[in-house]
């Protein structure tokens, strides 16, 4: 699959086998500006000017979780500018347990998948994009004025449970997992309905 975000309120999923549209992912209230697949391709995240990151199951089109950017400083909370936290970029960490986001509120945020709030912040100005180092531990951010900044990111030792899920989801679709003769709770874990 390939995902495209073209500044509309939706993201498009394409088949790389038939070069046709699989589905349109609708759920954002403003332009989708960034997207990224998890390392095992079992999840897709989209970021929008509507201040939200939506986590999707790309195989079913189901919205699994929404992460909303809210201002950290009370001074920003009463401003009338609704675009204070407009998102610019989102990316998965290499182990698939964290997300990084860059927003117009001048912050790089790092989110743990199992939580609904950021676990780390870093101040930055004119943020445009972010990307994890392929082996983890660092995030690069690009700015609108052409600079690149590097940040230390949380390093984590993945649990055996997560490594097994990641290995299985690398070659099994959501539909294939749901067809397995295993307990419902295990299916929910393997399809990221629970963390």
């Amino acid at each position: 699959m390939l995902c495209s975000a073209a500044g509309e309120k939706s993201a498009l999923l394409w088949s790389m086998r038939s070069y046709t549209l699989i589905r349109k992912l609708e759920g954002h209230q403003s332009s989708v500006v960034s997207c990224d697949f998890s390392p095992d391709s079992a999840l897709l995240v989209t970021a929008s000017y509507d201040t939200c990151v939506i986590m999707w199951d790309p195989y079913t089109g189901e919205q699994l979780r929404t992460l909303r950017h809210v201002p950290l400083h009370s001074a920003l909370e009463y401003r009338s500018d609704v675009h204070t936290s407009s998102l610019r970029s989102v990316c998965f960490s290499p182990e698939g347990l964290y997300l990084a986001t860059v927003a117009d509120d001048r912050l790089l945020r790092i989110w743990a998948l199992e939580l609904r709030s950021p676990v780390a912040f870093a101040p930055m100005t004119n943020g445009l994009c972010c990307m994890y180092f392929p082996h983890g531990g660092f995030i690069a951010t690009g700015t609108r004025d052409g600079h690149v900044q590097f940040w230390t990111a949380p390093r984590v030792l993945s649990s055996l449970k997560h490594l097994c899920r990641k290995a299985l989801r690398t070659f099994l679709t959501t539909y294939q997992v749901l067809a397995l003769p295993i307990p419902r709770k295990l299916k929910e874990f393997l399809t990221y309905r629970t963390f």
Side-chain angles (χ1 to χ4, degrees):
M1 276 189 267
L2 173 79
C3 182
S4 62
E8 297 177 0
K9 292 181 182 180
S10 59
L12 304 176
L13 281 177
W14 302 89
S15 167
M16 295 311 296
R17 288 192 182 128
S18 62
Y19 303 107
T20 58
L21 180 66
I22 297 171
R23 74 177 39 89
K24 192 175 190 177
L25 300 173
E26 297 177 307
H28 285 288
Q29 302 304 310
S30 190
S31 300
V32 177
V33 294
S34 182
C35 58
D36 194 25
F37 282 97
S38 61
D40 60 7
S41 299
L43 296 172
L44 172 71
V45 288
T46 54
S48 168
Y49 289 155
D50 66 6
T51 74
C52 292
V53 171
I54 298 179
M55 189 180 310
W56 308 85
D57 182 322
Y59 296 101
T60 65
E62 180 184 351
Q63 288 186 33
L64 301 177
R65 180 167 288 186
T66 300
L67 306 173
R68 183 172 299 281
H69 275 240
V70 293
L72 288 182
H73 309 290
S74 58
L76 295 176
E77 289 180 19
Y78 55 82
R79 288 184 56 187
S80 61
D81 181 9
V82 296
H83 298 292
T84 300
S85 295
S86 293
L87 287 159
R88 295 291 171 177
S89 184
V90 62
C91 66
F92 270 99
S93 64
E95 74 282 337
L97 293 173
Y98 292 94
L99 292 175
T101 58
V102 170
D104 284 346
D105 63 358
R106 300 181 181 162
L107 289 173
L108 164 69
R109 287 174 170 84
I110 299 173
W111 308 72
L113 283 187
E114 71 271 6
L115 304 176
R116 294 187 186 269
S117 59
V119 295
F121 301 89
M124 61 178 299
T125 55
N126 294 319
L128 185 60
C129 58
C130 59
M131 182 59 63
Y132 271 89
F133 178 65
H135 303 292
F138 299 97
I139 299 172
T141 56
T143 63
R144 284 178 275 240
D145 54 6
H147 293 93
V148 176
Q149 295 174 300
F150 296 94
W151 308 92
T152 302
R155 293 199 103 165
V156 64
L157 183 59
S158 299
S159 68
L160 183 57
K161 188 167 77 168
H162 176 70
L163 290 172
C164 290
R165 172 173 56 189
K166 188 175 166 186
L168 284 172
R169 289 312 306 268
T170 299
F171 66 90
L172 290 178
T173 68
T174 300
Y175 296 116
Q176 291 170 322
V177 169
L178 294 174
L180 292 173
I182 57 176
R184 181 182 54 82
K185 287 192 178 213
L186 189 52
K187 288 180 184 181
E188 289 173 357
F189 175 77
L190 290 174
T191 59
Y192 290 92
R193 272 49 178 187
T194 60
F195 290 89

